[in-house]
Amino acid sequence: MSAFSSPSDEQVACVRAFNRFYTRQIGLLEEVLLKSPFSLSEARVLFDLAQRDGQSAAELGRELGLDAGYLSRMLKKFEERGLVQRQAQTDDARQSAIALTEAGRQTFAGLDEASNREVGTMLDRLPAERRETLVTAMMTIMRLLGDGGEPKVPYILRPLQTGDVGWITHRQGLLYAQEYGWDETYEALVAEILVNFVRSYDPKKERAWVAERNGEVVGSIFAVHQSDDVAKLRLLYVEPSARGLGIGKRLVDECIAFARSRGYKTLTLWTNDILVAARRIYQAAGFKLAKEERHSSFGKELVGQIWNLEL
């Protein structure tokens, strides 16, 4: 089948069914907004203006896909209520730049808080893993149907899924071989850790986070139960293509927050002195070096380190 063959009737029907379903979900949120003086469309305009002042009405209409006459009447109503103001654009006196007034920003802040609260309530009905699955699916839809540019959210964190264990083992083994010259015994260690994690996984005491970007795994971290008082941070890694986005720090922060929420008193980790970037993240998070010892592992002479964070 060609990559550009016509969509099947089943695919068309599926998209239409999703549209009907999601329209109903949006309708529920719109009912909440209608308890305020604003419709969903009016709230969208206020939101867009709050993100970027100085747009013309034409730009705003194109961005939101609104009819010019409908948008003009809406903006006039906003002006009468003191929510927006217009100024002539410096590069084109025929066009007015539209901006929120202070009253408009305060009004938007109330709407934004209410919307966040209602969406949070809707998501709260789902278990944590299903919420992450939902967000991943929504990101995929935006990426595939959008303009193909970089997503506004550069990555997401989600739980461990089928296929991740093999992929993380493969990537860690390959990356550490390329960057540090470690041999296959490190890959074997990663595989052993992950197999044990999956086999004995206790969701009340343990957790895994996988960083995903554009549908690809770009990092991970694991919180593993060691004792009632101690949890272990294990197997932090970030793909070279995703470094600089703050993923490593975010993964460590999530691991720390989880350990605290489960009542652990100490979060500990084992690393090597040559892993400089990771060590900087640990130090910034408050970990203290507890012990160093020289050892021979992964085909190299290394200095192993134990770092602890008192929670």
Side-chain angles (χ1 to χ4, degrees):
M1 178 183 294
S2 167
F4 298 98
S5 61
S6 299
S8 67
D9 292 343
E10 290 79 6
Q11 289 172 327
V12 172
C14 182
V15 171
R16 293 187 63 191
F18 173 80
N19 287 342
R20 292 192 296 272
F21 167 79
Y22 195 63
T23 300
R24 289 196 297 272
Q25 302 304 307
I26 292 298
L28 296 176
L29 297 178
E30 185 173 6
E31 289 176 10
V32 174
L33 287 173
L34 287 175
K35 293 177 183 178
S36 74
F38 302 99
S39 69
L40 184 60
S41 294
E42 289 171 335
R44 288 178 62 206
V45 170
L46 291 174
F47 178 87
D48 206 74
L49 288 172
Q51 309 310 305
R52 185 161 62 95
D53 273 343
Q55 299 180 78
S56 67
E59 291 171 332
L60 195 59
R62 286 194 298 270
E63 176 71 20
L64 299 177
L66 294 176
D67 174 76
Y70 174 64
L71 178 60
S72 178
R73 292 189 295 272
M74 185 190 302
L75 292 174
K76 183 178 180 181
K77 183 168 69 172
F78 285 167
E79 282 187 278
E80 292 171 351
R81 297 182 58 179
L83 302 180
V84 302
Q85 58 189 1
R86 298 175 187 255
Q87 294 180 335
Q89 291 186 342
T90 56
D91 57 345
D92 188 350
R94 296 170 299 177
Q95 294 284 340
S96 295
I98 304 165
L100 290 178
T101 62
E102 182 58 33
R105 292 194 174 279
Q106 292 177 4
T107 298
F108 164 74
L111 282 172
D112 196 44
E113 181 180 351
S115 183
N116 284 339
R117 186 168 56 248
E118 292 303 321
V119 172
T121 299
M122 179 177 70
L123 293 176
D124 194 49
R125 298 197 299 264
L126 297 174
E129 292 190 3
R130 290 190 177 184
R131 285 200 298 269
E132 294 292 350
T133 300
L134 175 65
V135 171
T136 300
M138 288 179 163
M139 290 291 296
T140 301
I141 290 171
M142 288 191 293
R143 179 170 57 86
L144 293 177
L145 295 182
D147 59 9
E150 283 293 306
K152 292 183 179 180
V153 180
Y155 66 91
I156 63 166
L157 298 187
R158 61 165 176 77
L160 198 68
Q161 296 178 355
T162 301
D164 287 342
V165 167
W167 178 256
I168 293 170
T169 300
H170 162 70
R171 290 302 298 163
Q172 287 221 21
L174 189 60
L175 287 174
Y176 280 80
Q178 292 173 342
E179 296 182 355
Y180 304 105
W182 292 4
D183 64 21
E184 65 277 4
T185 58
Y186 176 70
E187 186 174 358
L189 175 64
V190 174
E192 181 181 0
I193 292 170
L194 291 177
V195 167
N196 289 336
F197 178 85
V198 172
R199 284 178 174 169
S200 61
Y201 176 59
D202 183 346
K204 295 180 180 179
K205 299 178 180 179
E206 299 177 309
R207 189 64 54 86
W209 295 264
V210 175
E212 184 177 294
R213 188 170 188 245
N214 293 337
E216 296 182 354
V217 173
V218 293
S220 63
I221 198 170
F222 296 79
V224 181
H225 174 73
Q226 179 168 301
S227 70
D228 289 344
D229 293 334
V230 180
K232 297 181 73 173
L233 182 159
R234 309 210 73 172
L235 299 179
L236 169 67
Y237 101 101
V238 178
E239 292 281 350
S241 63
R243 292 171 187 169
L245 298 175
I247 294 177
K249 180 181 182 302
R250 172 81 184 282
L251 289 168
V252 170
D253 287 346
E254 291 288 339
C255 194
I256 292 171
F258 173 79
R260 284 184 174 137
S261 72
R262 293 306 185 268
Y264 289 112
K265 296 180 180 179
T266 303
L267 184 60
T268 187
L269 64 92
W270 180 88
T271 187
N272 286 284
D273 66 328
I274 63 171
L275 305 181
V276 177
R279 189 169 70 246
R280 287 173 180 163
I281 294 174
Y282 301 142
Q283 288 176 309
F287 282 85
K288 303 297 183 184
L289 180 62
K291 184 180 180 181
E292 280 189 320
E293 58 182 5
R294 189 167 297 277
H295 64 98
S296 178
S297 301
F298 321 132
K300 296 287 183 179
E301 292 297 321
L302 302 169
V303 176
Q305 297 179 329
I306 296 176
W307 292 76
N308 293 332
L309 175 66
E310 300 304 320
L311 302 172

mmCIF file of all heavy atoms in Angstrom, residues 22-61:
data_model
loop_
_atom_site.group_PDB
_atom_site.id
_atom_site.type_symbol
_atom_site.label_atom_id
_atom_site.label_comp_id
_atom_site.label_asym_id
_atom_site.label_seq_id
_atom_site.Cartn_x
_atom_site.Cartn_y
_atom_site.Cartn_z
ATOM 1 N N TYR A 22 -15.211 14.033 21.294
ATOM 2 C CA TYR A 22 -14.454 15.108 21.921
ATOM 3 C C TYR A 22 -15.263 16.401 21.974
ATOM 4 O O TYR A 22 -15.128 17.196 22.902
ATOM 5 C CB TYR A 22 -13.127 15.328 21.195
ATOM 6 C CG TYR A 22 -12.165 16.164 22.010
ATOM 7 C CD1 TYR A 22 -11.705 15.698 23.245
ATOM 8 C CD2 TYR A 22 -11.748 17.411 21.576
ATOM 9 C CE1 TYR A 22 -10.847 16.455 24.012
ATOM 10 C CE2 TYR A 22 -10.879 18.172 22.344
ATOM 11 C CZ TYR A 22 -10.435 17.686 23.564
ATOM 12 O OH TYR A 22 -9.589 18.439 24.332
ATOM 13 N N THR A 23 -16.119 16.615 20.969
ATOM 14 C CA THR A 23 -17.001 17.781 20.999
ATOM 15 C C THR A 23 -17.893 17.744 22.228
ATOM 16 O O THR A 23 -18.151 18.767 22.868
ATOM 17 C CB THR A 23 -17.851 17.856 19.726
ATOM 18 O OG1 THR A 23 -16.982 17.961 18.592
ATOM 19 C CG2 THR A 23 -18.782 19.041 19.752
ATOM 20 N N ARG A 24 -18.377 16.537 22.574
ATOM 21 C CA ARG A 24 -19.200 16.415 23.787
ATOM 22 C C ARG A 24 -18.386 16.750 25.026
ATOM 23 O O ARG A 24 -18.870 17.398 25.952
ATOM 24 C CB ARG A 24 -19.770 14.997 23.897
ATOM 25 C CG ARG A 24 -20.852 14.678 22.884
ATOM 26 C CD ARG A 24 -21.634 13.431 23.273
ATOM 27 N NE ARG A 24 -20.793 12.240 23.313
ATOM 28 C CZ ARG A 24 -20.558 11.454 22.268
ATOM 29 N NH1 ARG A 24 -21.099 11.752 21.090
ATOM 30 N NH2 ARG A 24 -19.797 10.385 22.369
ATOM 31 N N GLN A 25 -17.115 16.295 25.073
ATOM 32 C CA GLN A 25 -16.267 16.602 26.224
ATOM 33 C C GLN A 25 -16.030 18.110 26.343
ATOM 34 O O GLN A 25 -16.092 18.676 27.430
ATOM 35 C CB GLN A 25 -14.922 15.883 26.104
ATOM 36 C CG GLN A 25 -15.019 14.379 25.985
ATOM 37 C CD GLN A 25 -15.785 13.758 27.145
ATOM 38 O OE1 GLN A 25 -15.473 13.992 28.304
ATOM 39 N NE2 GLN A 25 -16.769 12.950 26.828
ATOM 40 N N ILE A 26 -15.751 18.762 25.226
ATOM 41 C CA ILE A 26 -15.549 20.205 25.226
ATOM 42 C C ILE A 26 -16.830 20.914 25.643
ATOM 43 O O ILE A 26 -16.809 21.930 26.340
ATOM 44 C CB ILE A 26 -15.093 20.695 23.835
ATOM 45 C CG1 ILE A 26 -13.683 20.173 23.546
ATOM 46 C CG2 ILE A 26 -15.124 22.210 23.749
ATOM 47 C CD1 ILE A 26 -12.634 20.665 24.520
ATOM 48 N N GLY A 27 -17.980 20.361 25.238
ATOM 49 C CA GLY A 27 -19.259 20.944 25.627
ATOM 50 C C GLY A 27 -19.433 20.988 27.133
ATOM 51 O O GLY A 27 -19.991 21.940 27.690
ATOM 52 N N LEU A 28 -18.926 19.953 27.814
ATOM 53 C CA LEU A 28 -19.016 19.939 29.276
ATOM 54 C C LEU A 28 -18.206 21.080 29.883
ATOM 55 O O LEU A 28 -18.630 21.731 30.831
ATOM 56 C CB LEU A 28 -18.512 18.591 29.820
ATOM 57 C CG LEU A 28 -19.318 17.362 29.420
ATOM 58 C CD1 LEU A 28 -18.635 16.097 29.947
ATOM 59 C CD2 LEU A 28 -20.745 17.448 29.944
ATOM 60 N N LEU A 29 -17.024 21.331 29.321
ATOM 61 C CA LEU A 29 -16.206 22.429 29.814
ATOM 62 C C LEU A 29 -16.840 23.779 29.461
ATOM 63 O O LEU A 29 -16.775 24.728 30.238
ATOM 64 C CB LEU A 29 -14.801 22.349 29.220
ATOM 65 C CG LEU A 29 -13.994 21.101 29.586
ATOM 66 C CD1 LEU A 29 -12.647 21.132 28.882
ATOM 67 C CD2 LEU A 29 -13.797 20.995 31.089
ATOM 68 N N GLU A 30 -17.464 23.845 28.282
ATOM 69 C CA GLU A 30 -18.093 25.099 27.871
ATOM 70 C C GLU A 30 -19.235 25.464 28.804
ATOM 71 O O GLU A 30 -19.450 26.638 29.119
ATOM 72 C CB GLU A 30 -18.609 24.975 26.427
ATOM 73 C CG GLU A 30 -19.161 26.277 25.882
ATOM 74 C CD GLU A 30 -19.512 26.175 24.403
ATOM 75 O OE1 GLU A 30 -19.438 25.075 23.847
ATOM 76 O OE2 GLU A 30 -19.852 27.223 23.829
ATOM 77 N N GLU A 31 -19.973 24.451 29.287
ATOM 78 C CA GLU A 31 -21.056 24.719 30.228
ATOM 79 C C GLU A 31 -20.524 25.394 31.481
ATOM 80 O O GLU A 31 -21.152 26.278 32.053
ATOM 81 C CB GLU A 31 -21.768 23.418 30.597
ATOM 82 C CG GLU A 31 -22.599 22.838 29.469
ATOM 83 C CD GLU A 31 -23.211 21.505 29.859
ATOM 84 O OE1 GLU A 31 -23.132 21.160 31.051
ATOM 85 O OE2 GLU A 31 -23.763 20.831 28.981
ATOM 86 N N VAL A 32 -19.340 24.980 31.898
ATOM 87 C CA VAL A 32 -18.730 25.603 33.083
ATOM 88 C C VAL A 32 -18.386 27.062 32.784
ATOM 89 O O VAL A 32 -18.661 27.955 33.589
ATOM 90 C CB VAL A 32 -17.457 24.828 33.495
ATOM 91 C CG1 VAL A 32 -16.733 25.538 34.626
ATOM 92 C CG2 VAL A 32 -17.828 23.416 33.934
ATOM 93 N N LEU A 33 -17.783 27.307 31.614
ATOM 94 C CA LEU A 33 -17.413 28.674 31.274
ATOM 95 C C LEU A 33 -18.642 29.562 31.110
ATOM 96 O O LEU A 33 -18.601 30.749 31.399
ATOM 97 C CB LEU A 33 -16.593 28.684 29.984
ATOM 98 C CG LEU A 33 -15.161 28.152 30.114
ATOM 99 C CD1 LEU A 33 -14.520 28.050 28.748
ATOM 100 C CD2 LEU A 33 -14.336 29.053 31.012
ATOM 101 N N LEU A 34 -19.747 28.978 30.664
ATOM 102 C CA LEU A 34 -20.965 29.759 30.474
ATOM 103 C C LEU A 34 -21.580 30.203 31.794
ATOM 104 O O LEU A 34 -22.477 31.031 31.821
ATOM 105 C CB LEU A 34 -21.980 28.969 29.644
ATOM 106 C CG LEU A 34 -21.635 28.858 28.151
ATOM 107 C CD1 LEU A 34 -22.626 27.955 27.448
ATOM 108 C CD2 LEU A 34 -21.614 30.221 27.495
ATOM 109 N N LYS A 35 -21.111 29.645 32.924
ATOM 110 C CA LYS A 35 -21.538 30.153 34.226
ATOM 111 C C LYS A 35 -20.922 31.528 34.474
ATOM 112 O O LYS A 35 -21.379 32.275 35.325
ATOM 113 C CB LYS A 35 -21.129 29.174 35.325
ATOM 114 C CG LYS A 35 -21.868 27.848 35.250
ATOM 115 C CD LYS A 35 -21.379 26.888 36.327
ATOM 116 C CE LYS A 35 -22.072 25.530 36.195
ATOM 117 N NZ LYS A 35 -21.579 24.551 37.197
ATOM 118 N N SER A 36 -19.841 31.827 33.727
ATOM 119 C CA SER A 36 -19.259 33.166 33.746
ATOM 120 C C SER A 36 -19.937 33.960 32.628
ATOM 121 O O SER A 36 -20.757 33.434 31.882
ATOM 122 C CB SER A 36 -17.754 33.070 33.496
ATOM 123 O OG SER A 36 -17.507 32.779 32.134
ATOM 124 N N PRO A 37 -19.580 35.234 32.480
ATOM 125 C CA PRO A 37 -20.202 36.013 31.388
ATOM 126 C C PRO A 37 -19.641 35.694 30.016
ATOM 127 O O PRO A 37 -20.004 36.377 29.046
ATOM 128 C CB PRO A 37 -19.859 37.472 31.777
ATOM 129 C CG PRO A 37 -19.373 37.438 33.175
ATOM 130 C CD PRO A 37 -18.784 36.075 33.371
ATOM 131 N N PHE A 38 -18.770 34.694 29.884
ATOM 132 C CA PHE A 38 -18.055 34.470 28.631
ATOM 133 C C PHE A 38 -18.380 33.121 28.012
ATOM 134 O O PHE A 38 -18.508 32.113 28.712
ATOM 135 C CB PHE A 38 -16.544 34.568 28.861
ATOM 136 C CG PHE A 38 -16.114 35.881 29.440
ATOM 137 C CD1 PHE A 38 -15.881 36.007 30.799
ATOM 138 C CD2 PHE A 38 -15.978 36.999 28.630
ATOM 139 C CE1 PHE A 38 -15.503 37.220 31.346
ATOM 140 C CE2 PHE A 38 -15.589 38.217 29.163
ATOM 141 C CZ PHE A 38 -15.364 38.337 30.527
ATOM 142 N N SER A 39 -18.463 33.122 26.686
ATOM 143 C CA SER A 39 -18.590 31.871 25.947
ATOM 144 C C SER A 39 -17.212 31.247 25.791
ATOM 145 O O SER A 39 -16.187 31.866 26.103
ATOM 146 C CB SER A 39 -19.194 32.138 24.571
ATOM 147 O OG SER A 39 -18.263 32.852 23.763
ATOM 148 N N LEU A 40 -17.175 30.026 25.277
ATOM 149 C CA LEU A 40 -15.898 29.368 25.049
ATOM 150 C C LEU A 40 -15.055 30.144 24.037
ATOM 151 O O LEU A 40 -13.844 30.297 24.196
ATOM 152 C CB LEU A 40 -16.129 27.935 24.564
ATOM 153 C CG LEU A 40 -14.880 27.070 24.375
ATOM 154 C CD1 LEU A 40 -14.121 26.917 25.683
ATOM 155 C CD2 LEU A 40 -15.257 25.699 23.819
ATOM 156 N N SER A 41 -15.685 30.670 22.977
ATOM 157 C CA SER A 41 -14.950 31.441 21.969
ATOM 158 C C SER A 41 -14.372 32.715 22.571
ATOM 159 O O SER A 41 -13.229 33.101 22.283
ATOM 160 C CB SER A 41 -15.869 31.791 20.798
ATOM 161 O OG SER A 41 -16.257 30.625 20.101
ATOM 162 N N GLU A 42 -15.148 33.382 23.420
ATOM 163 C CA GLU A 42 -14.647 34.599 24.058
ATOM 164 C C GLU A 42 -13.471 34.284 24.975
ATOM 165 O O GLU A 42 -12.486 35.036 25.029
ATOM 166 C CB GLU A 42 -15.781 35.268 24.838
ATOM 167 C CG GLU A 42 -16.844 35.892 23.940
ATOM 168 C CD GLU A 42 -18.061 36.357 24.710
ATOM 169 O OE1 GLU A 42 -18.319 35.819 25.806
ATOM 170 O OE2 GLU A 42 -18.763 37.262 24.215
ATOM 171 N N ALA A 43 -13.568 33.175 25.695
ATOM 172 C CA ALA A 43 -12.461 32.772 26.569
ATOM 173 C C ALA A 43 -11.212 32.467 25.743
ATOM 174 O O ALA A 43 -10.087 32.780 26.163
ATOM 175 C CB ALA A 43 -12.871 31.552 27.401
ATOM 176 N N ARG A 44 -11.381 31.872 24.562
ATOM 177 C CA ARG A 44 -10.233 31.574 23.695
ATOM 178 C C ARG A 44 -9.547 32.856 23.249
ATOM 179 O O ARG A 44 -8.316 32.921 23.184
ATOM 180 C CB ARG A 44 -10.689 30.779 22.471
ATOM 181 C CG ARG A 44 -11.081 29.342 22.747
ATOM 182 C CD ARG A 44 -11.552 28.672 21.479
ATOM 183 N NE ARG A 44 -10.504 28.627 20.472
ATOM 184 C CZ ARG A 44 -10.726 28.570 19.155
ATOM 185 N NH1 ARG A 44 -11.968 28.601 18.696
ATOM 186 N NH2 ARG A 44 -9.730 28.504 18.316
ATOM 187 N N VAL A 45 -10.338 33.889 22.917
ATOM 188 C CA VAL A 45 -9.756 35.162 22.490
ATOM 189 C C VAL A 45 -8.971 35.795 23.639
ATOM 190 O O VAL A 45 -7.842 36.274 23.457
ATOM 191 C CB VAL A 45 -10.859 36.116 21.984
ATOM 192 C CG1 VAL A 45 -10.305 37.514 21.771
ATOM 193 C CG2 VAL A 45 -11.459 35.585 20.681
ATOM 194 N N LEU A 46 -9.547 35.798 24.838
ATOM 195 C CA LEU A 46 -8.843 36.359 25.996
ATOM 196 C C LEU A 46 -7.554 35.591 26.272
ATOM 197 O O LEU A 46 -6.518 36.182 26.594
ATOM 198 C CB LEU A 46 -9.753 36.326 27.225
ATOM 199 C CG LEU A 46 -10.951 37.284 27.199
ATOM 200 C CD1 LEU A 46 -11.848 37.040 28.401
ATOM 201 C CD2 LEU A 46 -10.475 38.736 27.181
ATOM 202 N N PHE A 47 -7.613 34.269 26.122
ATOM 203 C CA PHE A 47 -6.421 33.456 26.345
ATOM 204 C C PHE A 47 -5.331 33.817 25.346
ATOM 205 O O PHE A 47 -4.165 34.009 25.707
ATOM 206 C CB PHE A 47 -6.764 31.969 26.225
ATOM 207 C CG PHE A 47 -5.572 31.059 26.384
ATOM 208 C CD1 PHE A 47 -5.169 30.630 27.635
ATOM 209 C CD2 PHE A 47 -4.836 30.649 25.271
ATOM 210 C CE1 PHE A 47 -4.065 29.814 27.785
ATOM 211 C CE2 PHE A 47 -3.735 29.833 25.416
ATOM 212 C CZ PHE A 47 -3.346 29.411 26.683
ATOM 213 N N ASP A 48 -5.698 33.938 24.062
ATOM 214 C CA ASP A 48 -4.704 34.228 23.037
ATOM 215 C C ASP A 48 -4.080 35.604 23.241
ATOM 216 O O ASP A 48 -2.867 35.789 23.073
ATOM 217 C CB ASP A 48 -5.344 34.137 21.648
ATOM 218 C CG ASP A 48 -4.334 33.788 20.568
ATOM 219 O OD1 ASP A 48 -3.910 32.624 20.514
ATOM 220 O OD2 ASP A 48 -3.965 34.686 19.796
ATOM 221 N N LEU A 49 -4.886 36.587 23.644
ATOM 222 C CA LEU A 49 -4.366 37.919 23.906
ATOM 223 C C LEU A 49 -3.452 37.931 25.129
ATOM 224 O O LEU A 49 -2.480 38.681 25.180
ATOM 225 C CB LEU A 49 -5.523 38.907 24.108
ATOM 226 C CG LEU A 49 -6.314 39.274 22.848
ATOM 227 C CD1 LEU A 49 -7.536 40.098 23.210
ATOM 228 C CD2 LEU A 49 -5.425 40.042 21.863
ATOM 229 N N ALA A 50 -3.766 37.086 26.108
ATOM 230 C CA ALA A 50 -2.921 37.013 27.302
ATOM 231 C C ALA A 50 -1.556 36.436 26.976
ATOM 232 O O ALA A 50 -0.560 36.756 27.638
ATOM 233 C CB ALA A 50 -3.605 36.176 28.378
ATOM 234 N N GLN A 51 -1.486 35.571 25.957
ATOM 235 C CA GLN A 51 -0.210 34.972 25.580
ATOM 236 C C GLN A 51 0.624 35.902 24.710
ATOM 237 O O GLN A 51 1.854 35.877 24.763
ATOM 238 C CB GLN A 51 -0.436 33.649 24.812
ATOM 239 C CG GLN A 51 -1.362 32.673 25.505
ATOM 240 C CD GLN A 51 -1.009 32.438 26.952
ATOM 241 O OE1 GLN A 51 0.110 32.081 27.281
ATOM 242 N NE2 GLN A 51 -1.975 32.646 27.836
ATOM 243 N N ARG A 52 -0.056 36.737 23.911
ATOM 244 C CA ARG A 52 0.702 37.579 22.962
ATOM 245 C C ARG A 52 -0.059 38.873 22.687
ATOM 246 O O ARG A 52 -1.004 38.903 21.917
ATOM 247 C CB ARG A 52 0.934 36.810 21.655
ATOM 248 C CG ARG A 52 1.806 37.554 20.657
ATOM 249 C CD ARG A 52 2.368 36.591 19.629
ATOM 250 N NE ARG A 52 1.329 35.960 18.849
ATOM 251 C CZ ARG A 52 0.918 36.405 17.652
ATOM 252 N NH1 ARG A 52 1.445 37.488 17.143
ATOM 253 N NH2 ARG A 52 -0.014 35.749 16.987
ATOM 254 N N ASP A 53 0.332 39.920 23.377
ATOM 255 C CA ASP A 53 -0.262 41.238 23.148
ATOM 256 C C ASP A 53 0.173 41.792 21.794
ATOM 257 O O ASP A 53 1.179 41.375 21.219
ATOM 258 C CB ASP A 53 0.182 42.215 24.242
ATOM 259 C CG ASP A 53 -0.732 42.162 25.471
ATOM 260 O OD1 ASP A 53 -1.850 41.628 25.345
ATOM 261 O OD2 ASP A 53 -0.315 42.646 26.531
ATOM 262 N N GLY A 54 -0.599 42.763 21.320
ATOM 263 C CA GLY A 54 -0.186 43.503 20.134
ATOM 264 C C GLY A 54 -0.605 42.896 18.820
ATOM 265 O O GLY A 54 -0.124 43.313 17.766
ATOM 266 N N GLN A 55 -1.485 41.902 18.834
ATOM 267 C CA GLN A 55 -1.961 41.318 17.577
ATOM 268 C C GLN A 55 -3.029 42.215 16.961
ATOM 269 O O GLN A 55 -3.773 42.903 17.658
ATOM 270 C CB GLN A 55 -2.578 39.939 17.822
ATOM 271 C CG GLN A 55 -1.637 38.915 18.410
ATOM 272 C CD GLN A 55 -2.347 37.586 18.613
ATOM 273 O OE1 GLN A 55 -2.558 36.828 17.675
ATOM 274 N NE2 GLN A 55 -2.710 37.295 19.854
ATOM 275 N N SER A 56 -3.133 42.177 15.659
ATOM 276 C CA SER A 56 -4.245 42.849 14.983
ATOM 277 C C SER A 56 -5.441 41.919 14.988
ATOM 278 O O SER A 56 -5.316 40.713 15.236
ATOM 279 C CB SER A 56 -3.864 43.205 13.546
ATOM 280 O OG SER A 56 -3.705 42.010 12.773
ATOM 281 N N ALA A 57 -6.604 42.467 14.690
ATOM 282 C CA ALA A 57 -7.807 41.647 14.624
ATOM 283 C C ALA A 57 -7.675 40.579 13.535
ATOM 284 O O ALA A 57 -8.132 39.447 13.710
ATOM 285 C CB ALA A 57 -9.025 42.524 14.367
ATOM 286 N N ALA A 58 -7.040 40.951 12.422
ATOM 287 C CA ALA A 58 -6.863 39.986 11.332
ATOM 288 C C ALA A 58 -5.990 38.825 11.780
ATOM 289 O O ALA A 58 -6.284 37.649 11.490
ATOM 290 C CB ALA A 58 -6.256 40.680 10.119
ATOM 291 N N GLU A 59 -4.894 39.137 12.484
ATOM 292 C CA GLU A 59 -4.006 38.078 12.977
ATOM 293 C C GLU A 59 -4.727 37.188 13.973
ATOM 294 O O GLU A 59 -4.590 35.957 13.943
ATOM 295 C CB GLU A 59 -2.770 38.704 13.635
ATOM 296 C CG GLU A 59 -1.826 39.393 12.659
ATOM 297 C CD GLU A 59 -0.749 40.181 13.361
ATOM 298 O OE1 GLU A 59 -0.988 40.647 14.497
ATOM 299 O OE2 GLU A 59 0.345 40.324 12.783
ATOM 300 N N LEU A 60 -5.481 37.801 14.855
ATOM 301 C CA LEU A 60 -6.214 37.046 15.865
ATOM 302 C C LEU A 60 -7.241 36.130 15.220
ATOM 303 O O LEU A 60 -7.403 34.961 15.606
ATOM 304 C CB LEU A 60 -6.890 38.027 16.826
ATOM 305 C CG LEU A 60 -7.421 37.497 18.150
ATOM 306 C CD1 LEU A 60 -6.308 36.870 18.974
ATOM 307 C CD2 LEU A 60 -8.077 38.637 18.929
ATOM 308 N N GLY A 61 -7.939 36.639 14.210
ATOM 309 C CA GLY A 61 -8.936 35.837 13.519
ATOM 310 C C GLY A 61 -8.328 34.646 12.809
ATOM 311 O O GLY A 61 -8.879 33.541 12.840
#
